[in-house]
Amino acid sequence: MRVLVTGGAGFIGSHVVAELLARGHQPSVLDLAPPEPPGPGVEWTVADIRDPAALARAVRGVDAVCHQAAKVGLGRDFADAPDYVSVNDHGTALLLAAMAGAGVGGLVLAGSMVVYGEGRYDCVRHGRVRPGPRAPGDLAAGRFEPLCPGCGAELTPGLVEEDAPADPRNVYATTKLAQEHLAAAWARSTGGRVISLRYHNVYGDRMPRDTPYAGVASFFRSALERGLPPRVFEDGAQRRDFVHVEDVAAANAVALAGLGEVPAGTLRAYNTGSGEPHTVGEMARALALAFGGPEPVVTGAYRLGDVRHITASSARLRDELDWRPRVAFDEGMARFAKSPLR
């Protein structure tokens, strides 16, 4: 299969390119970065995702597109919003328009678990509930756990499934949900097929270092490399699903193979996580131990755009596309502690 990988020089995209090559596909790349040869015969277009002429050239003759190019993370403040919308949403619209013009009918989208907002919660009295955004006053006072909106009781977090309502709580999350809506509209209009892989917390080698747009694993790893302790926000008990980038790359490959099973004109979403929740504090300690210290510091600091708990049920991806994560948490953290960053 001939596959265009947008953002193919990036953290996840470069692993997707390598995985496709290993499986005998013919990937090509569109990325702002100049080529670092990922393998023989990979065609490379150096361009912005918002360049219509470059997109028209890049999609010509491909069977499907694996769309990884995006501006990621929470960023610095709301002043970043126009750039997020421009890259993630306008860029996706231009890509989809180019695909429609070239008759390319398959898309695997790098989605995100951030579209859910808070994860799944259960109250002993009210059952499944959806708590609203946490109040700044509660966060400042160190009251980090969301409570039942009906009775104020403590909640039990669980695994979120794909049919959970969307509730994006920051600019990045809003743009990722908009990407799915744009892709679904493109599919309905053209008869195309879309799989959105809603990535959970992806980590691994070639993560970007020292940037406000990277994930928490990169922040911790960068600090350790500078001889500083990882600084853990809140109380460190936030539950996340940390999934290794090699497993995410494999999920992209099986999604490309599974596009034919998606009904024409539709989008199918799949959570892409390890299925094994860990707290942010656990991750920081495991990484520091594998690196050789120093020990993490729990700061009590917080960010208003963060959610408390979000962990995945990846049963749909396992059952329908026969995907299985291969890198366990302890092994992955041990490898990540010694792997190079970008």
mmCIF file of all heavy atoms in Angstrom, residues 233-263:
data_model
loop_
_atom_site.group_PDB
_atom_site.id
_atom_site.type_symbol
_atom_site.label_atom_id
_atom_site.label_comp_id
_atom_site.label_asym_id
_atom_site.label_seq_id
_atom_site.Cartn_x
_atom_site.Cartn_y
_atom_site.Cartn_z
ATOM 1 N N PHE A 233 3.015 17.616 39.102
ATOM 2 C CA PHE A 233 1.929 18.525 39.447
ATOM 3 C C PHE A 233 0.894 17.827 40.339
ATOM 4 O O PHE A 233 0.844 16.603 40.439
ATOM 5 C CB PHE A 233 1.257 19.048 38.193
ATOM 6 C CG PHE A 233 1.984 20.222 37.560
ATOM 7 C CD1 PHE A 233 3.302 20.515 37.871
ATOM 8 C CD2 PHE A 233 1.337 21.036 36.643
ATOM 9 C CE1 PHE A 233 3.953 21.594 37.298
ATOM 10 C CE2 PHE A 233 1.978 22.115 36.056
ATOM 11 C CZ PHE A 233 3.290 22.394 36.385
ATOM 12 N N GLU A 234 0.062 18.646 40.946
ATOM 13 C CA GLU A 234 -0.980 18.197 41.865
ATOM 14 C C GLU A 234 -0.348 17.299 42.930
ATOM 15 O O GLU A 234 0.718 17.638 43.469
ATOM 16 C CB GLU A 234 -2.136 17.554 41.099
ATOM 17 C CG GLU A 234 -2.764 18.530 40.087
ATOM 18 C CD GLU A 234 -4.008 18.016 39.413
ATOM 19 O OE1 GLU A 234 -4.605 17.033 39.904
ATOM 20 O OE2 GLU A 234 -4.418 18.601 38.381
ATOM 21 N N ASP A 235 -0.972 16.171 43.238
ATOM 22 C CA ASP A 235 -0.391 15.279 44.246
ATOM 23 C C ASP A 235 0.228 14.032 43.627
ATOM 24 O O ASP A 235 0.632 13.111 44.332
ATOM 25 C CB ASP A 235 -1.454 14.893 45.273
ATOM 26 C CG ASP A 235 -2.664 14.205 44.631
ATOM 27 O OD1 ASP A 235 -2.659 14.034 43.388
ATOM 28 O OD2 ASP A 235 -3.610 13.867 45.363
ATOM 29 N N GLY A 236 0.287 14.006 42.300
ATOM 30 C CA GLY A 236 0.870 12.860 41.608
ATOM 31 C C GLY A 236 -0.057 11.680 41.438
ATOM 32 O O GLY A 236 0.339 10.663 40.859
ATOM 33 N N ALA A 237 -1.299 11.784 41.919
ATOM 34 C CA ALA A 237 -2.217 10.645 41.858
ATOM 35 C C ALA A 237 -3.094 10.644 40.609
ATOM 36 O O ALA A 237 -3.999 9.812 40.489
ATOM 37 C CB ALA A 237 -3.091 10.611 43.106
ATOM 38 N N GLN A 238 -2.835 11.568 39.674
ATOM 39 C CA GLN A 238 -3.606 11.595 38.426
ATOM 40 C C GLN A 238 -3.382 10.291 37.669
ATOM 41 O O GLN A 238 -2.252 9.890 37.434
ATOM 42 C CB GLN A 238 -3.154 12.759 37.543
ATOM 43 C CG GLN A 238 -3.087 14.104 38.235
ATOM 44 C CD GLN A 238 -1.705 14.423 38.743
ATOM 45 O OE1 GLN A 238 -1.162 13.708 39.582
ATOM 46 N NE2 GLN A 238 -1.116 15.509 38.240
ATOM 47 N N ARG A 239 -4.467 9.668 37.253
ATOM 48 C CA ARG A 239 -4.377 8.391 36.527
ATOM 49 C C ARG A 239 -4.306 8.658 35.027
ATOM 50 O O ARG A 239 -5.085 9.423 34.476
ATOM 51 C CB ARG A 239 -5.581 7.503 36.845
ATOM 52 C CG ARG A 239 -5.553 6.908 38.245
ATOM 53 C CD ARG A 239 -6.935 6.484 38.693
ATOM 54 N NE ARG A 239 -7.569 5.543 37.774
ATOM 55 C CZ ARG A 239 -7.562 4.219 37.920
ATOM 56 N NH1 ARG A 239 -6.944 3.668 38.942
ATOM 57 N NH2 ARG A 239 -8.186 3.445 37.052
ATOM 58 N N ARG A 240 -3.363 8.000 34.383
ATOM 59 C CA ARG A 240 -3.185 8.106 32.943
ATOM 60 C C ARG A 240 -2.907 6.718 32.372
ATOM 61 O O ARG A 240 -2.615 5.769 33.094
ATOM 62 C CB ARG A 240 -2.016 9.040 32.594
ATOM 63 C CG ARG A 240 -2.199 10.496 33.010
ATOM 64 C CD ARG A 240 -3.263 11.188 32.198
ATOM 65 N NE ARG A 240 -3.346 12.608 32.462
ATOM 66 C CZ ARG A 240 -4.147 13.157 33.376
ATOM 67 N NH1 ARG A 240 -4.913 12.379 34.141
ATOM 68 N NH2 ARG A 240 -4.182 14.464 33.543
ATOM 69 N N ASP A 241 -2.964 6.623 31.058
ATOM 70 C CA ASP A 241 -2.616 5.394 30.346
ATOM 71 C C ASP A 241 -1.402 5.712 29.481
ATOM 72 O O ASP A 241 -1.510 6.450 28.500
ATOM 73 C CB ASP A 241 -3.792 4.933 29.489
ATOM 74 C CG ASP A 241 -3.557 3.568 28.855
ATOM 75 O OD1 ASP A 241 -2.434 3.340 28.354
ATOM 76 O OD2 ASP A 241 -4.482 2.739 28.852
ATOM 77 N N PHE A 242 -0.239 5.177 29.853
ATOM 78 C CA PHE A 242 1.001 5.434 29.133
ATOM 79 C C PHE A 242 1.236 4.300 28.144
ATOM 80 O O PHE A 242 1.357 3.136 28.523
ATOM 81 C CB PHE A 242 2.174 5.545 30.116
ATOM 82 C CG PHE A 242 2.016 6.673 31.099
ATOM 83 C CD1 PHE A 242 1.558 6.440 32.388
ATOM 84 C CD2 PHE A 242 2.286 7.977 30.724
ATOM 85 C CE1 PHE A 242 1.398 7.481 33.287
ATOM 86 C CE2 PHE A 242 2.121 9.028 31.610
ATOM 87 C CZ PHE A 242 1.677 8.771 32.900
ATOM 88 N N VAL A 243 1.280 4.659 26.859
ATOM 89 C CA VAL A 243 1.418 3.665 25.798
ATOM 90 C C VAL A 243 2.667 3.981 24.995
ATOM 91 O O VAL A 243 2.928 5.129 24.638
ATOM 92 C CB VAL A 243 0.143 3.632 24.913
ATOM 93 C CG1 VAL A 243 -0.144 4.995 24.279
ATOM 94 C CG2 VAL A 243 0.242 2.553 23.852
ATOM 95 N N HIS A 244 3.461 2.954 24.708
ATOM 96 C CA HIS A 244 4.734 3.151 24.029
ATOM 97 C C HIS A 244 4.523 3.485 22.563
ATOM 98 O O HIS A 244 3.607 2.966 21.903
ATOM 99 C CB HIS A 244 5.605 1.901 24.155
ATOM 100 C CG HIS A 244 7.042 2.143 23.844
ATOM 101 N ND1 HIS A 244 7.541 2.061 22.562
ATOM 102 C CD2 HIS A 244 8.088 2.500 24.631
ATOM 103 C CE1 HIS A 244 8.830 2.332 22.579
ATOM 104 N NE2 HIS A 244 9.193 2.614 23.826
ATOM 105 N N VAL A 245 5.385 4.333 22.042
ATOM 106 C CA VAL A 245 5.234 4.815 20.674
ATOM 107 C C VAL A 245 5.318 3.681 19.660
ATOM 108 O O VAL A 245 4.667 3.744 18.602
ATOM 109 C CB VAL A 245 6.278 5.914 20.378
ATOM 110 C CG1 VAL A 245 7.703 5.353 20.385
ATOM 111 C CG2 VAL A 245 5.985 6.615 19.052
ATOM 112 N N GLU A 246 6.056 2.630 19.935
ATOM 113 C CA GLU A 246 6.108 1.510 18.998
ATOM 114 C C GLU A 246 4.749 0.824 18.889
ATOM 115 O O GLU A 246 4.359 0.368 17.803
ATOM 116 C CB GLU A 246 7.181 0.507 19.434
ATOM 117 C CG GLU A 246 8.606 1.035 19.295
ATOM 118 C CD GLU A 246 9.640 0.041 19.781
ATOM 119 O OE1 GLU A 246 9.258 -1.095 20.159
ATOM 120 O OE2 GLU A 246 10.832 0.398 19.796
ATOM 121 N N ASP A 247 4.028 0.752 20.000
ATOM 122 C CA ASP A 247 2.690 0.164 19.957
ATOM 123 C C ASP A 247 1.721 1.067 19.201
ATOM 124 O O ASP A 247 0.826 0.587 18.496
ATOM 125 C CB ASP A 247 2.189 -0.081 21.379
ATOM 126 C CG ASP A 247 2.919 -1.221 22.068
ATOM 127 O OD1 ASP A 247 3.354 -2.150 21.366
ATOM 128 O OD2 ASP A 247 3.062 -1.174 23.300
ATOM 129 N N VAL A 248 1.886 2.366 19.341
ATOM 130 C CA VAL A 248 1.040 3.304 18.595
ATOM 131 C C VAL A 248 1.318 3.202 17.100
ATOM 132 O O VAL A 248 0.398 3.240 16.277
ATOM 133 C CB VAL A 248 1.268 4.735 19.110
ATOM 134 C CG1 VAL A 248 0.600 5.765 18.207
ATOM 135 C CG2 VAL A 248 0.733 4.868 20.536
ATOM 136 N N ALA A 249 2.586 3.069 16.729
ATOM 137 C CA ALA A 249 2.920 2.896 15.314
ATOM 138 C C ALA A 249 2.289 1.621 14.757
ATOM 139 O O ALA A 249 1.743 1.612 13.637
ATOM 140 C CB ALA A 249 4.433 2.859 15.134
ATOM 141 N N ALA A 250 2.326 0.542 15.540
ATOM 142 C CA ALA A 250 1.693 -0.705 15.101
ATOM 143 C C ALA A 250 0.188 -0.540 14.962
ATOM 144 O O ALA A 250 -0.433 -1.104 14.049
ATOM 145 C CB ALA A 250 2.018 -1.821 16.084
ATOM 146 N N ALA A 251 -0.424 0.260 15.853
ATOM 147 C CA ALA A 251 -1.862 0.519 15.752
ATOM 148 C C ALA A 251 -2.193 1.234 14.447
ATOM 149 O O ALA A 251 -3.226 0.963 13.819
ATOM 150 C CB ALA A 251 -2.337 1.342 16.947
ATOM 151 N N ASN A 252 -1.340 2.156 14.015
ATOM 152 C CA ASN A 252 -1.554 2.829 12.740
ATOM 153 C C ASN A 252 -1.504 1.841 11.586
ATOM 154 O O ASN A 252 -2.304 1.927 10.643
ATOM 155 C CB ASN A 252 -0.518 3.931 12.545
ATOM 156 C CG ASN A 252 -0.894 5.225 13.214
ATOM 157 O OD1 ASN A 252 -1.532 6.079 12.618
ATOM 158 N ND2 ASN A 252 -0.495 5.379 14.471
ATOM 159 N N ALA A 253 -0.579 0.898 11.647
ATOM 160 C CA ALA A 253 -0.461 -0.083 10.569
ATOM 161 C C ALA A 253 -1.695 -0.986 10.500
ATOM 162 O O ALA A 253 -2.220 -1.249 9.409
ATOM 163 C CB ALA A 253 0.804 -0.917 10.762
ATOM 164 N N VAL A 254 -2.182 -1.451 11.646
ATOM 165 C CA VAL A 254 -3.357 -2.325 11.612
ATOM 166 C C VAL A 254 -4.610 -1.521 11.235
ATOM 167 O O VAL A 254 -5.532 -2.066 10.615
ATOM 168 C CB VAL A 254 -3.561 -3.080 12.943
ATOM 169 C CG1 VAL A 254 -2.361 -3.951 13.254
ATOM 170 C CG2 VAL A 254 -3.869 -2.145 14.094
ATOM 171 N N ALA A 255 -4.632 -0.225 11.590
ATOM 172 C CA ALA A 255 -5.762 0.610 11.192
ATOM 173 C C ALA A 255 -5.804 0.786 9.682
ATOM 174 O O ALA A 255 -6.880 0.752 9.067
ATOM 175 C CB ALA A 255 -5.687 1.965 11.887
ATOM 176 N N LEU A 256 -4.653 0.999 9.065
ATOM 177 C CA LEU A 256 -4.617 1.095 7.604
ATOM 178 C C LEU A 256 -5.146 -0.180 6.966
ATOM 179 O O LEU A 256 -5.931 -0.131 6.011
ATOM 180 C CB LEU A 256 -3.185 1.368 7.137
ATOM 181 C CG LEU A 256 -2.682 2.792 7.323
ATOM 182 C CD1 LEU A 256 -1.167 2.836 7.197
ATOM 183 C CD2 LEU A 256 -3.324 3.736 6.316
ATOM 184 N N ALA A 257 -4.745 -1.316 7.521
ATOM 185 C CA ALA A 257 -5.215 -2.593 6.986
ATOM 186 C C ALA A 257 -6.705 -2.777 7.225
ATOM 187 O O ALA A 257 -7.388 -3.474 6.452
ATOM 188 C CB ALA A 257 -4.436 -3.740 7.625
ATOM 189 N N GLY A 258 -7.235 -2.160 8.288
ATOM 190 C CA GLY A 258 -8.637 -2.330 8.634
ATOM 191 C C GLY A 258 -9.575 -1.315 8.024
ATOM 192 O O GLY A 258 -10.792 -1.382 8.268
ATOM 193 N N LEU A 259 -9.053 -0.370 7.250
ATOM 194 C CA LEU A 259 -9.931 0.655 6.671
ATOM 195 C C LEU A 259 -11.031 0.052 5.805
ATOM 196 O O LEU A 259 -12.153 0.571 5.758
ATOM 197 C CB LEU A 259 -9.109 1.641 5.837
ATOM 198 C CG LEU A 259 -8.407 2.769 6.586
ATOM 199 C CD1 LEU A 259 -7.465 3.528 5.660
ATOM 200 C CD2 LEU A 259 -9.430 3.737 7.197
ATOM 201 N N GLY A 260 -10.724 -1.034 5.136
ATOM 202 C CA GLY A 260 -11.715 -1.650 4.272
ATOM 203 C C GLY A 260 -12.923 -2.192 5.014
ATOM 204 O O GLY A 260 -13.980 -2.420 4.418
ATOM 205 N N GLU A 261 -12.780 -2.424 6.341
ATOM 206 C CA GLU A 261 -13.894 -2.931 7.142
ATOM 207 C C GLU A 261 -14.803 -1.808 7.641
ATOM 208 O O GLU A 261 -15.875 -2.067 8.184
ATOM 209 C CB GLU A 261 -13.354 -3.724 8.345
ATOM 210 C CG GLU A 261 -12.463 -4.886 7.967
ATOM 211 C CD GLU A 261 -13.157 -5.869 7.046
ATOM 212 O OE1 GLU A 261 -14.321 -6.213 7.319
ATOM 213 O OE2 GLU A 261 -12.538 -6.293 6.049
ATOM 214 N N VAL A 262 -14.345 -0.555 7.504
ATOM 215 C CA VAL A 262 -15.159 0.585 7.926
ATOM 216 C C VAL A 262 -16.179 0.879 6.829
ATOM 217 O O VAL A 262 -15.812 0.984 5.657
ATOM 218 C CB VAL A 262 -14.266 1.821 8.185
ATOM 219 C CG1 VAL A 262 -15.107 3.040 8.540
ATOM 220 C CG2 VAL A 262 -13.261 1.528 9.289
ATOM 221 N N PRO A 263 -17.455 1.023 7.168
ATOM 222 C CA PRO A 263 -18.440 1.337 6.121
ATOM 223 C C PRO A 263 -18.098 2.635 5.399
ATOM 224 O O PRO A 263 -17.643 3.607 6.018
ATOM 225 C CB PRO A 263 -19.745 1.473 6.918
ATOM 226 C CG PRO A 263 -19.534 0.647 8.140
ATOM 227 C CD PRO A 263 -18.082 0.815 8.489
#
